[in-house]
Amino acid sequence: MNRVLLLFESKRNSQLLVEWLSDQAQVVLVEGEQSLDEPFDLCIVDGRSLDRLQTLLQKRKESEQPVFLPILCVTPRQSLCSTTSDLAACVDEVIGSPVEKAELLMRVRVLLHTRQLSLQLNQRNQELTAFTYAVTHDLRSPLQVITSMAELLLEDQGNRLDDQGRLDLYQILLSADQMHELIAAFLSFSRLGREAIQIQKASLQPIVTACINSLEREIRARNATIRVEGELPVVWADPVLLKSVLINLLSNSLKYVASDVDPYIAISASHDNDRCCLRIQDNGVGIAIEDQSRIFSPFVRLKTIERPGIGLGLAIVRKSVELMSGRLGVEATLGVGSTFWIELKSPTPDE
Ligand code: ADP
């Protein structure tokens, strides 16, 4: 049964609510503050208690995330507007007093139903994550055996095989490697979660330099040029995550270029109020308009040019940018090149 917490200054009002709600929930009247730590599915609070307990309630709500813990505030109708704007961060619904029984019961029902849906969704997500780990783990073991056996065969019996036999073995090893890579990418995609993210002020300049340095081998091999245009600002981001995002985008810009063209990549940034837009522009094969939004979905690969890959890079990039409360997109012309952009929050002067 759902548990509803009542935080009311007036005993008479809380008694009335107990009567109204006891049919559809277990109602708990809270006297002290420690009861906020106990499990509950909905908290109904009056304006005065909310003033007193807002910080505690906010913390309690955050501790349940990503599950939705609803808070319903009952406050005199005349103070409804000011209450709503002041307390929007903590409260999910405001209802004016004197309260209509039918209205209250309907709002309570909706909030409790949303809470249950959110709990179910969270449960499904956890099951799905556990399933992903189990499947990928179970796939890895036999794959490791295939790789080891093929290597052993090549080492011990390689001389007795003809050219075609050796080629076939190499093909087995290559496919097993691709499968290892696919499993690793799949795992890092499913592992990306809010818990691991540490948003802080991050200077783009050293992050971009580190990305370019770690791609040095590819840059040299492709005779590529990467130019940073102008100063790069400070943004709110997780530096580790941002680095992996940029490496992903830069690797693609080096990869999806016609073989007879030397890659040229320009990195620049622009500022608008508290947002920063970072752009990575390349002279690659470009992307048709109809493909520009779908390439951010998992396993979408275009046929514009044949290159190795598994189609998870941009999905990971999108998830990472969204985890940093950013946005991203691409503008591109087939045969001319693409510009991937990332918009992130940048610190205001007083931050
Ligand atoms: P992968 O590179 O492993 O295929 P991604 O998710 O990184 O996976 O990219 C998805 C697809 O988007 C690529 O297969 C390619 O067709 C296209 N793409 C990505 N980046 C670029 C780029 N800079 N220029 C042209 N096409 C690109």
Side-chain angles (χ1 to χ4, degrees), residues 152-200:
L152 208 67
L153 200 60
L154 201 61
E155 208 176 297
D156 291 353
Q157 312 286 334
N159 293 340
R160 291 172 50 196
L161 294 172
D162 61 9
D163 285 352
Q164 187 57 49
R166 275 194 296 276
L167 221 62
D168 289 349
L169 266 182
Y170 279 124
Q171 194 53 52
I172 291 174
L173 281 169
L174 195 73
S175 300
D177 266 359
Q178 281 169 355
M179 187 92 174
H180 274 300
E181 203 190 322
L182 190 64
I183 292 172
F186 197 62
L187 261 183
S188 58
F189 181 69
S190 64
R191 267 188 195 141
L192 261 184
R194 249 165 228 292
E195 316 84 52
I197 308 300
Q198 292 200 332
I199 305 287
Q200 53 191 266

Side-chain angles (χ1 to χ4, degrees), residues 26-40:
Q26 180 194 354
V27 187
V28 182
L29 280 170
V30 178
E31 308 279 332
E33 288 171 12
Q34 74 270 37
S35 310
L36 288 186
D37 294 332
E38 289 175 17
F40 62 91

Side-chain angles (χ1 to χ4, degrees), residues 248-249 252-257 282 284-287 295-297 299-305 307-315 337-338 340:
N248 239 310
L249 294 178
N252 279 349
S253 290
L254 290 167
K255 190 162 69 162
Y256 295 106
V257 187
D282 66 43
V285 292
I287 300 158
I295 52 169
F296 295 100
S297 301
F299 304 116
V300 172
R301 306 204 69 223
L302 307 178
K303 304 245 175 316
T304 331
I305 190 168
R307 290 288 181 264
I310 49 181
L312 267 180
L314 289 179
S338 314
F340 283 82

Side-chain angles (χ1 to χ4, degrees), residues 81-333:
C81 291
S82 57
T83 310
T84 315
S85 56
D86 283 356
L87 304 172
C90 176
V91 167
D92 303 288
E93 272 277 14
V94 182
I95 190 164
S97 59
V99 178
E100 294 279 340
K101 181 179 177 185
E103 187 187 359
L104 180 98
L105 290 185
M106 191 189 67
R107 303 255 186 125
V108 165
R109 201 171 308 126
V110 170
L111 288 172
L112 286 174
H113 183 59
T114 313
R115 159 83 173 167
Q116 289 310 322
L117 289 178
S118 166
L119 280 165
Q120 283 168 20
L121 185 66
N122 192 49
Q123 168 82 14
R124 295 279 182 283
N125 273 339
Q126 283 176 357
E127 285 167 10
L128 202 61
T129 308
F131 176 75
T132 309
Y133 286 153
V135 169
T136 43
H137 183 266
D138 289 354
L139 282 177
R140 267 182 168 161
S141 323
L143 196 59
Q144 195 53 52
V145 176
I146 294 173
T147 305
S148 309
M149 288 300 159
E151 279 170 355
L152 208 67
L153 200 60
L154 201 61
E155 208 176 297
D156 291 353
Q157 312 286 334
N159 293 340
R160 291 172 50 196
L161 294 172
D162 61 9
D163 285 352
Q164 187 57 49
R166 275 194 296 276
L167 221 62
D168 289 349
L169 266 182
Y170 279 124
Q171 194 53 52
I172 291 174
L173 281 169
L174 195 73
S175 300
D177 266 359
Q178 281 169 355
M179 187 92 174
H180 274 300
E181 203 190 322
L182 190 64
I183 292 172
F186 197 62
L187 261 183
S188 58
F189 181 69
S190 64
R191 267 188 195 141
L192 261 184
R194 249 165 228 292
E195 316 84 52
I197 308 300
Q198 292 200 332
I199 305 287
Q200 53 191 266
K201 280 189 222 174
S203 179
L204 277 174
Q205 199 75 45
I207 292 177
V208 166
T209 308
C211 295
I212 297 174
N213 288 343
S214 65
L215 289 169
E216 205 190 317
R217 223 155 48 110
E218 284 99 312
I219 295 173
R220 226 169 320 126
R222 285 295 280 115
N223 198 27
T225 306
I226 302 188
R227 181 141 297 146
V228 180
E229 295 176 348
E231 290 278 299
L232 300 179
V234 173
V235 291
W236 284 111
D238 177 320
V240 179
L241 205 57
L242 185 56
K243 195 174 161 203
S244 92
V245 162
L246 297 179
I247 288 184
N248 239 310
L249 294 178
L250 290 170
S251 309
N252 279 349
S253 290
L254 290 167
K255 190 162 69 162
Y256 295 106
V257 187
S259 307
D260 56 348
V261 173
D262 289 347
Y264 181 90
I265 303 168
I267 303 174
S268 60
S270 57
H271 229 141
D272 182 16
N273 295 326
D274 63 342
R275 310 295 292 183
C276 156
C277 186
L278 183 69
R279 297 176 158 263
I280 297 176
Q281 181 179 7
D282 66 43
N283 62 340
V285 292
I287 300 158
I289 293 204
E290 61 273 22
D291 293 324
Q292 287 176 12
S293 54
R294 66 186 199 98
I295 52 169
F296 295 100
S297 301
F299 304 116
V300 172
R301 306 204 69 223
L302 307 178
K303 304 245 175 316
T304 331
I305 190 168
E306 233 3 83
R307 290 288 181 264
I310 49 181
L312 267 180
L314 289 179
I316 291 176
V317 164
R318 180 172 71 175
K319 202 166 165 187
S320 306
V321 171
E322 284 170 358
L323 282 170
M324 294 186 283
S325 307
R327 300 190 311 135
L328 84 168
V330 64
E331 291 149 13
T333 310

